[in-house]
Amino acid sequence: MGLDVRFPESLEARLIRRENRFVVRARREGRELRLHLPNTGRLAWLLPGTRLRYLPRSGGRTEGRVLLARDGAVWALLDSAYAEAVLPRLLERWGWGFVSAQPRVEGSRLDALVRDEAGRERLLELKSVTHVQADTACFPDAPSARALRHLQLLVRHRGALLFAVLRADAERFAPCPVDPAFARALRRALEAGLWVRAVRARIDPAGLEWDAELPLYCGA
């Protein structure tokens, strides 16, 4: 199978430190760079010396935008915009169609309005997953009131929740124990019949390929 999305040409750097939630310092060819980090997760595995791929730019407060980071043997996609851009291709796996992006509901903005295989319109939220431990992808990697609010909204509206695992080394999905409130809410949502899937992507500097659906382990 071919790539579902190709990334723009990127450059490699080494992480020096994370300056704040949105900015990292990195080094390339002996020069220090300030790069935008489009991922607000805790990313505990993003340590000094980590290999990064970034998209260079001129002007502005940073010299580029982080695209990928290397964790052990795999690349992880840190810019979820590329996963969101090929959501329509992923939906085809289940016979679903894409209707529109960024619907606003109850004061919140979700990722998409989609049409399921029965022709019914549903709200859908795509959550990017970049944390993997012992072959298990988990979300969120820090307590997230926003993720809990979105989950509760999807339950009320009979929507759909898709976990996009943006690295290739996961064999299953589970909620992270760091946020027990989300884990409990996800378990109740599944019991109530919420449509939930976790899908792994294979990532390399060339692009993204949707790979396999992962089993969900959400507790008893």
Side-chain angles (χ1 to χ4, degrees), residues 162-190:
L162 179 60
F163 294 103
V165 181
L166 302 180
R167 48 188 293 170
D169 57 344
E171 298 299 329
R172 64 193 67 84
F173 172 87
C176 288
V178 72
D179 193 342
F182 181 85
R184 289 192 298 269
L186 180 59
R187 184 170 62 250
R188 290 194 297 266
L190 286 165

Side-chain angles (χ1 to χ4, degrees), residues 14-206:
R14 293 276 182 172
L15 178 67
I16 298 173
R17 67 182 184 278
R18 191 169 180 174
E19 186 173 296
N20 56 48
R21 291 177 69 196
F22 302 102
V23 176
V24 299
R25 296 278 183 171
R27 189 174 305 281
R28 173 176 168 79
E29 297 178 347
R31 191 169 71 85
E32 186 171 322
L33 306 169
R34 194 167 184 263
L35 303 174
H36 173 58
L37 179 65
N39 189 307
T40 59
R42 182 170 290 175
L43 302 175
W45 53 271
L46 199 63
L47 302 173
T50 296
R51 292 170 62 191
L52 305 175
R53 303 289 304 189
Y54 72 96
L55 305 178
R57 65 184 175 201
S58 57
R61 296 181 178 179
T62 60
E63 296 176 71
R65 180 182 177 95
V66 176
L67 177 66
L68 311 174
R70 186 84 172 182
D71 186 16
V74 299
W75 288 104
L77 175 62
L78 298 188
D79 192 341
S80 63
Y82 289 94
E84 294 166 6
V86 287
L87 174 61
R89 292 196 63 175
L90 182 55
L91 292 172
E92 292 173 2
R93 287 176 175 239
W94 304 288
W96 290 30
F98 183 84
V99 177
S100 61
Q102 302 287 305
R104 184 175 288 279
V105 183
E106 294 185 25
S108 292
R109 192 175 292 279
L110 298 181
D111 287 319
L113 182 66
V114 301
R115 184 174 289 107
D116 67 19
E117 76 283 4
R120 178 178 176 271
E121 289 191 351
R122 293 177 182 250
L123 297 167
L124 181 141
E125 181 70 4
L126 183 149
K127 296 297 186 186
S128 297
V129 183
T130 58
H131 184 76
V132 171
Q133 188 168 3
D135 297 330
T136 301
C138 73
F139 176 92
D141 68 354
S144 174
R146 181 174 182 270
L148 179 59
R149 184 172 67 253
H150 284 169
L151 176 56
Q152 293 167 338
L153 190 155
L154 291 171
V155 171
R156 288 196 296 275
H157 291 269
R158 297 181 63 196
L161 178 58
L162 179 60
F163 294 103
V165 181
L166 302 180
R167 48 188 293 170
D169 57 344
E171 298 299 329
R172 64 193 67 84
F173 172 87
C176 288
V178 72
D179 193 342
F182 181 85
R184 289 192 298 269
L186 180 59
R187 184 170 62 250
R188 290 194 297 266
L190 286 165
E191 291 169 353
L194 182 69
W195 190 97
V196 182
R197 298 290 188 275
V199 178
R200 180 180 64 203
R202 296 192 178 277
I203 307 291
D204 65 34

